[in-house]
Amino acid sequence: MKLSFPMAPQQTVTPPAAPAPPDPPGLPTSAPAARAQLIHIEVDRRLGHEWDEWNGRPLPKGGDFSAPPRLFFGYAALTVATVSGVVALLLYLIGPRLGRLWGPLPQALWIALAAVAALQWLYLGVLAAAFYSRRNLLPERLLERGPYLQLMNYTSLIARAFGRRDWVEHAAIDVYNTLAERRGRRVGKGELLVLIPRCLSKQALDGVLEIAGRYEVPVFVATRGQLARRVIRERRPRAVVAVACERDMMTGLRDVAGKLPVLGLTMQLPNGPCRDATIDLGQMERWVQGLVAAAPARGHTTQ
């Protein structure tokens, strides 16, 4: 069954390319590396809206928000403590009134709160143990493609209050990628999808197309926010390599990663958000090569 949603008409742009004549039999191939088909899609919600409050000043460290994983775990612990504390305060305030409805109700709610808090701390401990021990201790549906996605988003909300949103999100995405990459997933060339934003620099875009063409993987450019879900419904890939800034990546992982495996490559923003972004092309090629079952025996792209 194919799902559809009301949105702007799809625009497909295929770069013109003259077919190269075949090499004579027995001679080594000398043709330039193939470039991937580039498909440009317009839909209704633009990417980059998370940066609407940007004041136009240069971003810290040239738009590189790299941060160690421990930053995420620290803010995740703060998130669990904050949520538990807020619920406990609320229960303390309304407990007497609830007791008038049914005497044992407040005590039952305190027990339930203690149990939920204990489960949250246990999960965070298992998550940290899985990451630092280099062994995924839970199935993916209970780890990076399960409750972790919600934990990332709640932690991002807490980090915003301290002005550390982008760094914490970067660390959270790195933790997610590490857990997902350890699964050792393999798919066919036609089963992998590469999603990129429109704000890549020309050099980064050319590098992505070169990598995708080498491994015969389609590339889709997102100009609006619902691209991933639309393309995934139509193409039905078995894995996705997505490129975005930390803010858009968090939204994309929340929407997509629970449904199929995703690896998320964050960008550097030397000229501010939504303009001439750069990426680690070496990391992208390692991911694409690792996911594709039959990789070509050719040279690798460097950053």
Side-chain angles (χ1 to χ4, degrees), residues 172-282:
I173 294 166
D174 281 351
V175 171
Y176 166 86
N177 286 330
T178 299
L179 297 173
E181 194 174 6
R182 285 182 193 157
R183 301 293 176 182
R185 192 175 304 275
R186 298 291 183 271
V187 298
K189 294 179 180 179
E191 298 173 327
L192 178 63
L193 189 65
V194 175
L195 299 177
I196 61 175
R198 61 181 176 180
C199 58
L200 288 180
S201 67
K202 184 180 184 304
Q203 180 181 4
L205 177 59
D206 289 343
V208 170
L209 294 179
E210 179 186 349
I211 294 169
R214 182 180 307 143
Y215 295 93
E216 302 176 21
V217 175
V219 178
F220 291 84
V221 175
T223 60
R224 303 285 171 175
Q226 294 179 357
L227 168 70
R229 285 176 290 179
R230 175 179 176 179
V231 170
I232 287 168
R233 285 190 179 99
E234 295 179 355
R235 301 283 302 194
R236 298 185 181 276
R238 292 183 58 201
V240 171
V241 172
V243 177
C245 66
E246 286 79 4
R247 301 185 183 190
D248 285 332
M249 185 67 72
M250 292 289 287
T251 302
L253 291 177
R254 182 185 63 208
D255 292 343
V256 179
K259 302 172 184 177
L260 80 162
V262 180
L263 291 175
L265 185 61
T266 54
M267 308 182 300
Q268 294 79 50
L269 310 174
N271 298 314
C274 308
R275 179 184 178 186
D276 295 332
T278 63
I279 61 173
D280 185 344
L281 293 172

Side-chain angles (χ1 to χ4, degrees), residues 54-198:
W54 181 52
N55 58 13
R57 297 177 181 175
L59 297 176
K61 296 179 62 177
D64 183 356
F65 297 103
S66 299
R70 66 175 179 273
L71 183 67
F72 164 74
F73 286 109
Y75 273 89
L78 178 60
T79 299
V80 173
T82 300
V83 171
S84 299
V86 169
V87 175
L89 177 60
L90 179 62
L91 183 55
Y92 173 78
L93 294 176
I94 67 173
R97 295 188 178 183
L98 295 176
R100 295 175 184 176
L101 298 177
W102 183 48
L105 182 56
Q107 183 179 3
L109 292 177
W110 280 111
I111 294 174
L113 174 60
V116 171
L119 286 175
Q120 291 175 335
W121 285 110
L122 176 62
Y123 181 82
L124 184 58
V126 172
L127 175 64
F131 178 80
Y132 287 107
S133 68
R134 302 183 180 181
R135 296 179 59 188
N136 287 358
L137 302 176
L138 293 173
E140 57 186 346
R141 288 293 181 181
L142 296 177
L143 204 60
E144 73 274 12
R145 294 180 60 198
Y148 180 73
L149 298 174
Q150 292 300 323
L151 178 61
M152 280 201 312
N153 283 279
Y154 289 131
T155 302
S156 174
L157 293 176
I158 297 297
R160 295 182 197 189
F162 292 89
R164 299 290 290 171
R165 173 185 181 181
D166 298 294
W167 291 271
V168 172
E169 288 181 348
H170 186 105
I173 294 166
D174 281 351
V175 171
Y176 166 86
N177 286 330
T178 299
L179 297 173
E181 194 174 6
R182 285 182 193 157
R183 301 293 176 182
R185 192 175 304 275
R186 298 291 183 271
V187 298
K189 294 179 180 179
E191 298 173 327
L192 178 63
L193 189 65
V194 175
L195 299 177
I196 61 175
R198 61 181 176 180

